[in-house]
Amino acid sequence: MAIDTADLPEPIDPEDLPPINTNPGWLSEDELAFVRGRLPILYVEAVPVRVDGQGQVNEVGLLLRSTPEGVMTRALVAGRVRYGETLRDALFRHLENDLGSMAFPLIPASPIPAQVAEFFPLPGVSPYIDERQHAVSLVFVVPVTGSCEPRQDALEMTWMSPDEALAPGTLAELAGGRGKLLRQALASVGC
């Protein structure tokens, strides 16, 4: 099974070159399309949870987003790991970007993923599908202690009991196989 890869554009003259990126940890849209066609991209995903005094999960937070087609879906906090960025820093950045600066995530000094998922652009290779790319995602269950105000493209943050989060209807709202991913991540913490 072959997957088409992107071609590197050939600049005709110096004005056709992309602008110099002053942030070496971030890719332009053209650079990202080129890389996505050639390499798996590393992502972190976080399942925000609230825990009781004994460390038991009593609430699970899921984002509500609208797709470009206008379909409402549930989502985990997720995003790419930048070049030179630690996993811990990437987790913190994405949690703060999606949940706001007052979420106060409790990320351990050496985070260990609860689950690893490999996403493919073609159905059938894996239960996880990302039509844009081949990606590897490290999934973490992260307690948050502060208030969460969704940002970026999230419409709201919904806190629900683990049973509600694991209900078939809720799991079906998570795209690309992330319902299975949520079930596996929560199982790693006893839910």
Side-chain angles (χ1 to χ4, degrees):
M1 177 178 340
I3 298 174
D4 290 335
T5 59
D7 293 325
L8 183 62
E10 293 291 332
I12 295 177
D13 67 44
E15 290 182 5
D16 291 334
L17 289 170
I20 294 175
N21 191 346
T22 57
N23 181 352
W26 197 249
L27 299 172
S28 71
E29 289 299 318
D30 289 339
E31 292 168 328
L32 181 59
F34 176 74
V35 171
R36 278 182 168 157
R38 287 176 167 68
L39 299 169
I41 306 294
L42 181 61
Y43 281 76
V44 291
E45 297 195 53
V47 178
V49 297
R50 300 232 191 252
V51 297
D52 63 18
Q54 295 178 334
Q56 298 295 313
V57 173
N58 55 25
E59 287 185 305
V60 178
L62 295 175
L63 297 169
L64 181 66
R65 289 196 163 118
S66 176
T67 67
E69 298 81 27
V71 177
M72 302 303 277
T73 63
R74 295 284 174 192
L76 306 177
V77 172
R80 291 189 309 272
V81 177
R82 293 178 178 170
Y83 178 79
E85 184 177 45
T86 67
L87 293 176
R88 188 175 194 285
D89 288 344
L91 270 171
F92 185 82
R93 178 172 54 85
H94 289 296
L95 283 159
E96 186 174 74
N97 284 347
D98 283 352
L99 304 181
S101 60
M102 300 304 288
F104 302 130
L106 302 175
I107 303 171
S110 296
I112 297 172
Q115 185 65 25
V116 177
E118 191 170 14
F119 290 82
F120 286 91
L122 303 170
V125 179
S126 147
Y128 311 110
I129 299 168
D130 185 335
E131 289 141 6
R132 304 166 300 168
Q133 65 196 341
H134 176 191
V136 176
S137 184
L138 305 177
V139 184
F140 300 85
V141 178
V142 180
V144 295
T145 59
S147 60
C148 297
E149 295 296 324
R151 298 177 3 167
Q152 308 285 43
D153 61 344
L155 302 174
E156 75 175 30
M157 173 69 157
T158 305
W159 290 101
M160 53 188 77
S161 72
D163 289 339
E164 291 171 316
L166 294 170
T170 305
L171 295 176
E173 293 177 5
L174 291 149
R178 284 186 175 83
K180 179 177 182 172
L181 199 57
L182 176 63
R183 186 175 37 243
Q184 292 170 332
L186 290 178
S188 75
V189 292
C191 294

